[in-house]
Structures are given as structure tokens and as C-alpha cells.
Amino acid sequence: MTGQLVYLNYGMPADYKELARYGVDVGGKIVITRYGNGWRGLKPKLAQEHGAIGCIIYSDPRDDGTSKGMRIRRGGGARPGACSAARSWT
């Protein structure tokens, strides 16, 4: 999949409203959201509802991780409990 990337902060309803204030539409684009401020399975659902073709969720070090004194995980950075529940929305 290819598409234009749009940063969407936490990817929650208020973030879509903020983008709309600036005339930014995520339709046909890939949104990039941070973990936090809501269940991660909701982020791709909301992205789809707003017409996005994809959703990337990442850990911002400002929110968790090394900036809060945590060590980097061994064996990779994937978080347990992926967005598998979101499959039913596609």
C-alpha cells in the first residue's frame, strides 16, 4: 500500500476535529498516530471511518520508554495485544 502520510497525534476524535479545523482530510491517506490516550484498536477503526487507507501506531519516547527510565525491550519493540480486534471492522 502506498499513500500520503498524515500525522494525527493520538488518532482520537478530537485529533480529527483539530485536523479538520485546518482543512486537512485523511481520506485516501495513511495516518500516523501515537500510542496512548485511548485503546489502540480504536485508532485504526476511526482512521477507516474517516476514509484513511492505513494506520500506523508508534510509541513516542516522550510518552513511555527510555524518557521515563524504562529499558528497551529485548527481542524487539512489538507490543503484546496487537490490533487484531480491529479486523472485524475491515
Side-chain angles (χ1 to χ4, degrees), residues 29-49:
K29 299 176 181 139
I30 301 167
V31 297
I32 302 172
T33 69
R34 300 172 0 182
Y35 274 106
N37 287 359
W39 177 55
R40 65 180 156 238
L42 184 57
K43 296 167 190 267
K45 179 182 184 295
L46 290 170
Q48 182 182 28
E49 289 175 356

Side-chain angles (χ1 to χ4, degrees), residues 12-85:
M12 300 310 290
D15 300 316
Y16 286 95
K17 288 179 185 174
E18 184 69 14
L19 280 185
R21 283 186 47 221
Y22 293 99
V24 178
D25 179 18
V26 301
K29 299 176 181 139
I30 301 167
V31 297
I32 302 172
T33 69
R34 300 172 0 182
Y35 274 106
N37 287 359
W39 177 55
R40 65 180 156 238
L42 184 57
K43 296 167 190 267
K45 179 182 184 295
L46 290 170
Q48 182 182 28
E49 289 175 356
H50 286 87
I53 60 171
C55 178
I56 299 169
I57 307 171
Y58 75 98
S59 287
D60 189 327
R62 291 182 304 175
D63 295 331
D64 63 4
T66 57
S67 69
K68 302 214 180 220
M70 296 173 68
R71 293 189 176 152
I72 296 174
R73 300 173 202 249
R74 293 178 189 237
R79 288 179 177 244
C83 297
S84 59

Side-chain angles (χ1 to χ4, degrees), residues 1-5 28-30 53-54:
M1 157 188 334
T2 60
Q4 187 178 15
L5 300 174
K29 299 176 181 139
I30 301 167
I53 60 171

